[in-house]
Amino acid sequence: DRLAPMVRLAVDDVHFAYGPAAILEGVSLEVRAGQTVAIVGPNGAGKSTLLRVASGQLRPTAGRVRIDGEDLHALDRRRAARRIAGLGAEATTTFPYTVRDAVALGRHPWRGRFGRLQAEDEAAIEEALQAVDLERFADRTLPTLSSGERQRAGLARCLAQGGDVVLLDEPTAHLDFGHRVKAFDVLARRARQRGQALLAVLHDLNLAAFADRIVLLAGGRVAAAGEPRDVLTASRLGAAFGVDVEVRAVEVEEGVERPFVLPRPGARGLASDAGRSS
């Protein structure tokens, strides 16, 4: 389709292994400008590894990653940092920065020769703080915040960084229900408005249902990819996660339905998994 938005991020037949252990096997996906794509799947499926490969932190053993058609590993570190913003699953810190200073770290790739913040940097920082509802905490230090507030500070840093591609590993971890919904809405809306490609690993399947597309990983391979209604089916989720679920279509706004996933009472796998670490 000539009118379709451009492909900002492309993962082409990527393989990755730690020694003899294959983690990713032939994974391909695309994220277009303005699009939000969620990666879901069971523990150990390769979700976080895929995100690290897509960010350039890990080099694939085969295949490649392209940003706007350009090989990611052809970019120098500064150009890559300007193109890709990211937040890892363990990206929050308790180092005694103020919240404002922690968010300002996102502007590092854009700072001038002497590293000083310019007016556009300050504006990006303030906008990011407002987006995650942290303005009133701007002068607090990170150790004085709750885990959810520190997570929001990490999200604000990522928002302040900007970039064409945004990669997030469980961005709503530690957030309460309200902030989880608001944060995902802010991220998706900014991606649409700014033509960003947003790729996020999510454990919350019902939150993932609000993405434009979903990639279901299982065993290091793409088990399914497409619109939420096509991926979040009882049969696909049952095969991937090993539990029985029910999927209902819920109208979230007039004429718009999203799949809603519910575990079946007494579902296989739930009792045996009780108490295990996730």
Side-chain angles (χ1 to χ4, degrees):
D1 185 355
R2 289 180 298 174
L3 299 180
M6 68 182 295
V7 175
R8 300 229 83 138
L9 171 67
V11 175
D12 302 326
D13 194 24
V14 158
H15 296 249
F16 183 83
Y18 288 110
I23 308 299
L24 300 173
E25 299 184 75
V27 173
S28 296
L29 63 84
E30 292 181 346
V31 190
R32 295 182 178 272
Q35 191 176 53
T36 297
V37 175
I39 305 172
V40 302
N43 293 340
K47 302 183 299 295
S48 295
T49 299
L50 174 57
L51 217 61
R52 288 195 286 270
V53 169
S55 71
Q57 295 177 51
L58 298 174
R59 185 182 287 269
T61 51
R64 64 174 181 163
V65 176
R66 292 178 291 123
I67 307 294
D68 291 345
E70 187 173 6
D71 192 303
L72 172 60
H73 291 283
L75 302 175
D76 61 42
R77 291 183 64 182
R78 187 174 181 84
R79 286 179 64 207
R82 288 186 171 187
R83 302 291 297 280
I84 304 171
L87 180 69
E90 304 298 330
T92 56
T93 177
T94 55
F95 192 82
Y97 291 116
T98 66
V99 170
R100 189 184 305 279
D101 287 342
V103 175
L105 293 175
R107 298 303 300 171
H108 180 73
W110 302 96
R111 293 189 185 188
R113 182 175 179 181
F114 299 105
R116 295 172 181 166
L117 292 173
Q118 305 299 316
E120 59 267 30
D121 300 313
E122 298 285 2
I125 292 165
E126 291 304 316
E127 183 182 2
L129 287 169
Q130 292 172 14
V132 299
D133 192 27
L134 275 183
E135 312 101 297
R136 67 188 184 279
F137 296 118
D139 297 319
R140 291 260 302 268
T141 58
L142 294 180
T144 69
L145 304 181
S146 70
S147 57
E149 289 160 351
R150 288 197 298 273
Q151 182 74 5
R152 284 153 55 197
L155 280 172
R157 176 186 59 73
C158 185
L159 292 174
Q161 185 174 343
D164 299 320
V165 174
V166 181
L167 305 174
L168 303 170
D169 196 348
E170 196 54 31
T172 60
H174 310 298
L175 301 188
D176 61 41
F177 177 76
H179 282 109
R180 191 184 317 149
V181 173
K182 290 176 184 176
F184 192 74
D185 180 63
V186 165
L187 292 164
R189 185 161 17 95
R190 283 171 64 101
R192 288 193 300 271
Q193 292 171 345
R194 303 183 181 206
Q196 295 174 316
L198 174 61
L199 182 64
V201 168
L202 294 173
H203 287 297
D204 186 337
L205 298 177
N206 292 319
L207 193 61
F210 286 87
D212 298 308
R213 290 177 61 82
I214 294 178
V215 175
L216 172 62
L217 285 188
R221 297 177 180 272
V222 176
E227 294 185 12
R229 65 184 179 184
D230 298 323
V231 176
L232 299 182
T233 66
S235 60
R236 292 189 191 281
L237 297 177
F241 290 93
V243 295
D244 292 328
V245 300
E246 179 180 353
V247 180
R248 301 176 183 174
V250 175
E251 189 173 58
V252 295
E253 55 185 287
E254 188 174 355
V256 178
E257 291 185 340
R258 297 283 178 177
F260 185 74
V261 182
L262 292 166
R264 290 184 183 276
R268 60 187 170 93
L270 292 182
S272 61
D273 287 344
R276 290 186 186 177
S277 170
S278 61

